[in-house]
Amino acid sequence: MKRECRLPTSLFLNLVHVCLVQANYAPYFFDNGASSSNGNMALFSLSEDTAVGTHVYTLNGTDPEGDPVTYGITFEAGARKYFAVDENYGNVTLIAELDRETQDEIEVLVNISDGLSTVAEKVRIVITDANDERPEFINTPYIVQVQENTPVGSSIFQIEAVDRDTGSGGSINYFLQNIHTNKFTIDRHSGVLRIKTGINLDYEKARTFFVTAVAKDGGGKLRGNHKVYSATTTITINVEDIQDTPPIFVGTPYYGYVYEDTLVGSEVITVVAIDGDRGKPNDIYYSIVNGSEGSFEINNATGAISVVKSPTKLKKEVYELKVQASEIGSEDNETAHTSTTVIIRVVDLNNHPPTFYGESGTQNQFEVTLYEHPLEGETLRGLKITVNDSDQGANAKFNLHLVGPGGIFRVVPQTVLNEAQVTIIVENSAAIDYEKFQDLTFKLLAVEVNTPEKFSSTADIVIHLLDTNDNIPKFSSDYYIAKIPENSPGGSNVVAVTAIDPDSGLWGELKYTIYGTGADLFLIHPSTGIIYTQPWAILDAEINSKYHFFVKAEDIEGKHSLAEVFITVLDVNDHSPEFSENIQEKTMIIGSPVKVEVGQNIVKMLSMQVEREGKGQKIFKRSFLERSEGHSRALRKFCNSTMKKEIVEKYLSLSSLFLLSFSLSLFIYIYIYIYVFLSSRGYLHLCCLASFGYYPTSL
């Protein structure tokens, strides 16, 4: 007969429970690979131009027992949080803007839980590039010095721009604007600037060129659209002079006159030559090559031609002198000299005043255009002035004078016999300032020297000045002081700085920049000079309330000036008082003062006492409540948020005693109030109001 072994039902259920508890398996993620949009985010990548709020991924997994699972995503301590996840559905949403150039990889910890077990996996999310960066030129401004004899096609400079994007969006091509009228070309890949084929530079024709270069990236996708960015910069090319131009006679043709009464040794005419290379001019040596026949000589340094024979012994009525001007110290003898013809007539009469002539005949006003601050010794080439006195001999001798602001120009020649080409030469370059005068006006006066009639004539000389970059930007103040509240949002304007460059055109346009250890939280608009906070800047007066840095105003050629900026961050009431944990307990006796100390905050509550003095006279001593500013608000906040349980219990115990004392005191006050009201209808009721914290100005 078989024997059956039966287990009690309760024991069997316990065993089953134990087995079920021990058999719980942890949940796990699905690993669907890099191309999937759901799983455990392994090998997941995301473009940096993805909009905030976009659903970018779905965490997906399961539990072996079929229990419901929840999802989570966490970041390392101190790291910026870029994603949020729906714990029930696993939907991952982008909550912060991405920037590959700042952070190209994000490390997160994704987890899945069935309520009993939690599985976490560390994954790295790769941020892919979008074409969101512009090319930027480096090492600007670009100022190039090139000699005028530089061969055609020579490399004279190289510009460089960078683009922080990758791929085609980070590749840069260069080109020049106005390519058809430009004298230069640029290599589209390297940025090397060259002189265009068939172009020769000439310092005497053009001394400065402004070339606009463009850097353009290869384009790329940005928020679903194909985007191409570019940047421009200006290259200033200064041509340097070399010794390649012979001397030039000014005031030609030359006519001189000798009269019968002219004294031996008298000056007849002065020739003037200047070095054609005005950048580095040489001195001039004058000589008579032929035609003098021993009747005339020339001053080798000044070019003054004098008669060395008595006019009565001159055999000709007209002498043609060949005069040569040579550069002193020039190694190239072929190009270092030039010659001209001087015609000298022997005449005698005095019935005409000096007269000025232009290219079209008699003229009494001459105009010329000139760049400010020309080189001293330079002539006003645009003036074509001839002065003539048709008389002969001493009667045709007259002096030339410039009447106007003194010391700026001088006239050559100063003494004329009969006829001469008038040349005006720069004496004081500093006084020829476009910012002071746009036009200069002089009177050219011709007055006969040795005649009793003193015939004379005048002509107006009007000089129109053109601007050059000869001024440095200047700030309206050496320093700027500003204040800004600490709760100002990012991008808030702080202060506007202003600098002025009197120069015109591109030279007068300024670019503002800031630098210094205190400038990290601020930006400046390059054109307006408005200083504002960084979009991400958070000001905190409790951390740093003072900022100091420098602002620079710079023109296109790099001329600049500096000013200092001092910014004070103003404190606002953005912190609540907080209790420390040093709370003292004290036993309160009803009717006695109670003192509760919480850190530095002291609350004293004194009961009100009533005394009688004299017949029918009642004097009340007011109780007072001394409390630190805002203590009541701090107590409520502290109790609701940060006070530990045991401290709250102590505080409530004290509050209960206080309420008991307050109730007894209130009973006494009401009794006294009724008494006073019936007897004198006085102001004793104000004492009751005082117990609630209201104190009248007078009692």
Side-chain angles (χ1 to χ4, degrees):
M1 185 175 181
K2 293 183 179 180
R3 296 179 63 185
E4 294 183 358
C5 181
R6 294 186 179 181
L7 296 174
T9 303
S10 61
L11 178 59
F12 175 76
L13 293 176
N14 286 336
L15 290 175
V16 172
H17 175 72
V18 171
C19 293
L20 290 176
V21 172
Q22 292 178 344
N24 180 66
Y25 292 96
Y28 59 88
F29 283 107
F30 295 127
D31 188 354
N32 296 326
S35 61
S36 176
S37 62
N38 67 83
N40 61 351
M41 297 188 80
L43 303 178
F44 176 60
S45 62
L46 188 62
S47 177
E48 66 174 328
D49 62 348
T50 303
V52 174
T54 303
H55 173 208
V56 297
Y57 197 83
T58 301
L59 292 177
N60 193 7
T62 186
D63 181 71
E65 289 81 22
D67 292 334
V69 295
T70 58
Y71 303 94
I73 185 168
T74 58
F75 297 81
E76 292 184 358
R80 187 177 185 183
K81 296 180 180 180
Y82 289 93
F83 305 101
V85 63
D86 185 311
E87 66 176 8
N88 295 318
Y89 297 100
N91 293 331
V92 179
T93 304
L94 182 66
I95 61 173
E97 289 188 355
L98 301 174
D99 187 1
R100 185 203 64 82
E101 288 74 27
T102 302
Q103 185 175 359
D104 59 0
E105 190 176 82
I106 300 173
E107 188 174 89
V108 299
L109 196 67
V110 295
N111 59 76
I112 182 172
S113 175
D114 62 359
L116 295 177
S117 300
T118 300
V119 176
E121 295 182 10
K122 181 180 288 187
V123 295
R124 291 185 178 180
I125 300 169
V126 177
I127 308 303
T128 59
D129 190 43
N131 190 28
D132 61 342
E133 297 288 334
R134 292 181 179 274
E136 182 178 352
F137 285 97
I138 60 176
N139 301 323
T140 56
Y142 296 132
I143 301 175
V144 186
Q145 307 293 334
V146 56
Q147 291 188 339
E148 62 178 336
N149 64 342
T150 302
V152 172
S154 297
S155 170
I156 60 173
F157 195 68
Q158 183 176 15
I159 63 175
E160 184 179 0
V162 295
D163 191 321
R164 297 196 299 168
D165 289 319
T166 59
S168 63
S171 63
I172 295 178
N173 289 325
Y174 304 93
F175 62 91
L176 301 180
Q177 291 183 353
N178 304 321
I179 187 64
H180 298 296
T181 59
N182 216 313
K183 296 182 181 292
F184 305 91
T185 61
I186 192 170
D187 187 281
R188 63 190 301 266
H189 299 295
S190 65
V192 172
L193 192 67
R194 303 178 186 276
I195 301 175
K196 186 184 291 185
T197 302
I199 297 298
N200 293 315
L201 302 180
D202 190 345
Y203 176 86
E204 285 70 36
K205 293 181 179 180
R207 303 180 183 181
T208 303
F209 297 93
F210 295 105
V211 178
T212 301
V214 181
K216 183 172 69 173
D217 66 20
K221 289 290 185 180
L222 179 64
R223 298 182 181 91
N225 298 319
H226 185 76
K227 192 71 175 180
V228 178
Y229 286 110
S230 63
T232 61
T233 189
T234 299
I235 307 171
T236 302
I237 303 173
N238 296 319
V239 180
E240 294 182 341
D241 193 21
I242 63 169
Q243 289 294 331
D244 62 345
T245 306
I248 301 172
F249 279 100
V250 296
T252 58
Y254 293 115
Y255 296 95
Y257 297 89
V258 176
Y259 299 92
E260 292 180 351
D261 56 354
T262 299
L263 299 177
V264 175
S266 298
E267 179 182 321
V268 178
I269 191 173
T270 299
V271 297
V272 177
I274 59 175
D275 188 351
D277 301 301
R278 299 307 301 148
K280 300 176 181 178
N282 290 324
D283 293 333
I284 303 299
Y285 178 87
Y286 300 94
S287 60
I288 297 177
V289 178
N290 56 50
S292 170
E293 297 182 4
S295 300
F296 302 93
E297 65 180 12
I298 190 169
N299 186 305
N300 302 123
T302 65
I305 299 175
S306 303
V307 60
V308 294
K309 288 184 179 180
S310 171
T312 58
K313 295 181 180 181
L314 298 179
K315 298 178 181 180
K316 293 182 178 181
E317 292 185 359
V318 177
Y319 289 85
E320 294 186 4
L321 309 182
K322 183 178 181 180
V323 177
Q324 179 174 288
S326 305
E327 295 182 24
I328 299 176
S330 176
E331 298 179 356
D332 189 353
N333 294 325
E334 294 183 359
T335 61
H337 63 81
T338 189
S339 60
T340 189
T341 299
V342 179
I343 297 176
I344 298 178
R345 298 179 181 273
V346 179
V347 293
D348 180 25
L349 278 176
N350 182 32
N351 56 358
H352 296 90
T355 306
F356 293 99
Y357 297 88
E359 293 179 326
S360 58
T362 304
Q363 191 170 328
N364 59 10
Q365 180 171 317
F366 301 86
E367 297 184 19
V368 67
T369 300
L370 178 70
Y371 279 101
E372 67 174 340
H373 305 304
L375 296 175
E376 294 184 358
E378 185 170 337
T379 62
L380 304 189
R381 299 181 182 180
L383 290 177
K384 303 294 184 181
I385 306 174
T386 300
V387 62
N388 174 270
D389 188 327
S390 299
D391 296 329
Q392 298 179 0
N395 295 329
K397 186 176 182 179
F398 54 92
N399 290 335
L400 293 175
H401 304 278
L402 273 180
V403 180
I408 300 178
F409 299 96
R410 65 183 175 93
V411 62
V412 173
Q414 294 182 345
T415 301
V416 180
L417 284 173
N418 192 254
E419 185 176 287
Q421 294 292 321
V422 178
T423 301
I424 296 177
I425 300 176
V426 176
E427 285 266 283
N428 185 355
S429 175
I432 307 173
D433 192 345
Y434 177 85
E435 283 69 36
K436 295 180 180 178
F437 313 99
Q438 281 74 53
D439 299 289
L440 292 171
T441 302
F442 297 84
K443 288 282 188 182
L444 181 58
L445 175 63
V447 181
E448 291 183 352
V449 179
N450 297 320
T451 63
E453 296 86 0
K454 299 292 183 183
F455 290 142
S456 65
S457 63
T458 61
D460 293 325
I461 309 296
V462 180
I463 302 171
H464 305 290
L465 296 183
L466 299 177
D467 197 16
T468 61
N469 190 22
D470 62 326
N471 289 282
I472 297 175
K474 185 176 181 181
F475 281 95
S476 59
S477 175
D478 292 335
Y479 59 89
Y480 296 86
I481 299 175
K483 298 179 180 180
I484 181 172
E486 66 177 346
N487 61 348
S488 299
S492 296
N493 291 347
V494 180
V495 65
V497 300
T498 304
I500 297 175
D501 190 332
D503 295 319
S504 61
L506 289 174
W507 292 314
E509 295 179 3
L510 301 181
K511 176 182 178 183
Y512 296 94
T513 55
I514 59 175
Y515 67 95
T517 56
D520 296 340
L521 296 183
F522 302 91
L523 295 172
I524 189 169
H525 193 283
S527 301
T528 64
I530 295 176
I531 297 176
Y532 56 97
T533 59
Q534 292 271 12
W536 48 261
I538 299 176
L539 303 177
D540 194 338
E542 285 74 18
I543 297 176
N544 189 0
S545 63
K546 301 291 184 181
Y547 293 89
H548 170 224
F549 50 87
F550 295 88
V551 59
K552 179 168 73 173
E554 186 177 35
D555 67 17
I556 193 171
E557 290 188 356
K559 294 183 179 180
H560 66 275
S561 62
L562 300 176
E564 293 183 272
V565 179
F566 300 87
I567 298 176
T568 299
V569 179
L570 300 177
D571 192 21
V572 298
N573 191 15
D574 60 341
H575 291 83
S576 299
E578 294 182 2
F579 286 92
S580 67
E581 294 184 2
N582 182 23
I583 299 179
Q584 299 181 6
E585 293 186 41
K586 295 228 173 173
T587 302
M588 185 177 82
I589 301 174
I590 297 176
S592 298
V594 176
K595 179 179 180 182
V596 180
E597 296 184 347
V598 185
Q600 298 298 322
N601 301 307
I602 300 176
V603 181
K604 292 183 179 180
M605 291 169 285
L606 300 180
S607 62
M608 179 178 290
Q609 299 177 354
V610 180
E611 296 181 359
R612 293 177 178 271
E613 293 185 9
K615 183 178 180 180
Q617 183 179 8
K618 303 172 181 63
I619 299 176
F620 296 87
K621 294 182 179 179
R622 290 178 296 169
S623 64
F624 61 94
L625 178 62
E626 295 182 356
R627 49 192 171 180
S628 62
E629 181 180 354
H631 80 280
S632 297
R633 182 172 63 255
L635 279 173
R636 289 194 298 271
K637 181 176 179 181
F638 185 79
C639 292
N640 292 333
S641 61
T642 64
M643 186 178 290
K644 294 181 180 179
K645 181 178 180 181
E646 58 271 23
I647 298 177
V648 173
E649 291 175 352
K650 294 177 181 179
Y651 177 76
L652 292 175
S653 176
L654 291 174
S655 299
S656 299
L657 294 175
F658 172 78
L659 289 174
L660 179 58
S661 176
F662 176 79
S663 299
L664 293 174
S665 299
L666 181 61
F667 178 80
I668 296 173
Y669 295 162
I670 294 174
Y671 177 82
I672 295 173
Y673 180 84
I674 294 173
Y675 173 80
V676 173
F677 179 81
L678 294 175
S679 61
S680 62
R681 300 179 65 89
Y683 59 86
L684 188 59
H685 62 284
L686 295 177
C687 293
C688 184
L689 296 177
S691 66
F692 291 93
Y694 298 95
Y695 301 97
T697 57
S698 63
L699 287 177

